């Protein structure tokens, strides 16, 4: 196999690949072995006819197409490797000539990664959002755990917000029950707003054993058959339960943790919260640095790289929806956008991610960052210690696929350590930073968004789970579903 390389416009290249007659013959023989069972030749059992007989019967080119499928991929891979090409697109093949003696000549056009010219990457001015965990933050975390460990105790009084009630309900419109409007022994926490407006509010004040008809109006954005209609729900309340919180003391600490005292438990919470806050600050700092560097590179980025990134994000979104029992087509229909709309929504972010990836690759090459075995082993020891495992146990836990990417992970850490050491870092209170970012995002959104908002704003990964939950809530008609207009507003 020989290959000639020709550079085309932009980031395209053309490989002219010549496969020898001997290699072509091997391909023909493989094609014969795989497909001979398809041929019926008089005088031979199906699949038993010799190759020469089949070629005489159907013509000498009968196996050529399948033979090309055998030899082209391997020849292409060898040509790419020989020319050290970093390909980012699928090849477009063209067969120039086929000859049993002289072999095959094909061309393969591909897009390769662009040349990257780095801008400034040292002395960058960035802000590090710092959060110091205070006693009140720890107390709030303890309260969350306390709430999660609460008991629900049955009480003999009228229901109020915050109580859990067990009810039967039957809904009807104009005296006719509707599908999904009935439930038996439904558990409901009053005040959480899980049901349509006015439903929970009218249960407040009811006692166990009481029956009541309540009047509600379905939201305009509800399911078409019920949207905007008045309905009556016949309610039977069986049980009222109130939340009983445990005392916050040493016994509580022993129940919810591995510690014997409340003081030890709180100390551990503060440590973990501070570690998470520090990791968040580090990640934000690194993101600022990488964004600034990526925005300063010069490169003719091929559209196919952006399209590939969009494909990846949509695939991940599809997997996430699958785990929640939804198809991506149903999700898009629910939020009122097309696949083309979704791809447009992802384009800007995908382009930025591609630029960041190219910037990282260029920096790793420029700075000659290549972790040694010692560097990698040191990282293994660090992570294994954090998991209370031996290095081998940690490697086994990670699995083969993770091990393959571990060197890249160490390289990225070394890169960011370098960039941070060369940057001008200003520490800023995390809450102030979050406020600044929220205001900045609002201004950018106002610039980009048309005056008339659309449901297209929903096509984000953050909203995927919400949409799945809302779709699930459509089944009981008494539960609240989010209209497209409401969903847009939340975005």
């Amino acid at each position: 196999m020989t290959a000639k390389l020709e550079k085309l416009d932009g980031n395209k290249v053309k490989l002219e690949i010549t496969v020898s007659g001997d290699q072509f013959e091997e391909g023909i023989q493989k094609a014969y072995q795989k497909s001979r069972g398809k041929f019926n030749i008089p005088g031979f059992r199906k699949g038993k006819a010799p190759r020469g007989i089949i070629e005489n019967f159907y013509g000498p080119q009968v196996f050529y197409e399948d033979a090309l499928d055998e030899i082209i991929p391997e020849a292409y891979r060898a040509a790419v490797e020989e020319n050290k090409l970093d390909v980012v697109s699928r090849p477009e093949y063209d067969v120039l000539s086929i000859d049993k003696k002289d072999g095959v000549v094909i061309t393969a056009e591909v897009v390769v990664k662009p040349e990257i010219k780095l801008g400034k990457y040292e002395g960058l001015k960035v802000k590090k959002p710092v959060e110091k965990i205070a006693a009140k933050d720890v107390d709030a975390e303890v309260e969350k755990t306390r709430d999660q460990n609460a008991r629900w105790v049955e009480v003999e009084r009228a229901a109020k917000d915050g109580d859990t009630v067990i009810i039967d309900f039957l809904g009807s419109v104009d005296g006719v029950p509707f599908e999904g409007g009935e439930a038996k022994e439904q558990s409901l926490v009053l005040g959480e707003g899980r049901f349509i407006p006015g439903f929970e509010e009218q249960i407040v004040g009811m006692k166990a054993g009481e029956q009541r008809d309540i009047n509600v109006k379905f939201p305009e954005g509800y399911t078409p058959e019920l949207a905007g209609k008045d309905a009556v729900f016949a309610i039977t309340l069986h049980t009222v339960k109130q939340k009983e919180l445990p005392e916050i003391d040493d016994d509580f600490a022993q129940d919810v943790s591995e510690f014997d005292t409340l003081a030890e438990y709180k100390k551990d919470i503060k440590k973990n919260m501070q570690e998470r806050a520090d990791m968040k600050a580090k990640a934000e700092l690194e993101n600022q640095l990488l964004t600034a560097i990526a925005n300063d590179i010069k490169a003719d980025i091929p559209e196919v790289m952006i399209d590939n990134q969009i494909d990846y994000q949509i695939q991940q979104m599809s997997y996430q929806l699958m785990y929640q029992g939804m198809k991506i087509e149903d999700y898009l229909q629910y939020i009122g956008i097309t696949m083309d709309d979704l791809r447009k929504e992802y384009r800007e972010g995908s382009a930025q991610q591609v630029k960041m990836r190219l910037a990282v690759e260029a920096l790793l090459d420029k700075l000659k960052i290549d972790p040694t075995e010692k560097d990698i082993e040191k990282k293994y020891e660090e992570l294994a210690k954090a998991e209370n495992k031996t290095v081998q146990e940690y490697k086994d836990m990670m699995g083969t696929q993770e091990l393959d990417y571990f060197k890249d992970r160490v390289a990225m850490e070394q890169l960011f350590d370098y960039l941070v050491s060369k940057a001008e870092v200003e520490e800023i209170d995390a809450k102030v930073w979050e406020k600044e970012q929220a205001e900045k995002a609002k201004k950018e959104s106002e610039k980009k968004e048309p005056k008339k908002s659309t449901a297209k704003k929903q096509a984000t990964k953050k909203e995927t789970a919400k949409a799945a939950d809302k779709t699930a809530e459509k089944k009981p008609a008494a539960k609240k579903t989010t209209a497209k207009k409401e969903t847009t507003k939340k975005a």
Side-chain angles (χ1 to χ4, degrees), residues 1-3 15 17-19 23-24 26-27 30 66-82 91 93 106 108:
M1 189 281 300
T2 60
L15 288 164
I17 305 168
T18 301
V19 180
Q23 288 174 302
F24 187 39
E26 289 177 12
K30 286 180 182 178
D66 289 340
L68 290 175
D69 291 339
E70 291 289 335
I71 65 172
I72 286 178
E74 183 56 41
Y76 164 73
R77 282 192 292 270
V80 167
E81 187 175 338
E82 179 185 312
Y93 295 118
I106 65 168

Side-chain angles (χ1 to χ4, degrees), residues 91-127:
E92 295 179 5
Y93 295 118
D94 188 19
V95 180
L96 300 185
S97 64
I98 301 177
D99 186 89
K100 202 168 183 180
K101 180 181 177 182
D102 296 331
V104 179
V105 180
I106 65 168
T107 61
E109 286 191 17
V110 292
V111 179
V112 296
K113 280 186 180 177
E115 181 183 349
I116 305 299
K117 292 184 179 179
L118 287 166
K120 185 177 180 180
Y121 59 88
E122 294 181 346
L124 296 170
K125 294 182 179 180
V126 289
K127 294 181 179 182

Side-chain angles (χ1 to χ4, degrees), residues 169 178-183 186 188 192-197 200 218-219 221-223 225-226 233 324-326 334 464-483 486-487 490:
F169 63 77
F178 53 86
E179 185 180 353
E182 182 178 14
Q186 173 77 46
L188 173 65
E192 285 192 346
R194 288 178 56 205
F195 281 55
I196 60 176
E200 296 173 23
F218 283 101
Y222 209 74
T223 53
E225 63 272 17
L226 295 172
F233 281 89
Q324 299 176 55
M326 289 183 70
Y334 174 80
T464 304
K466 291 182 183 178
D469 291 341
K470 296 298 181 184
T471 303
E473 287 181 11
K474 276 187 173 182
K475 293 178 182 177
K479 291 189 178 182
K480 182 171 64 178
T481 58
T482 305
E486 293 171 336
T487 313
K490 286 185 180 180

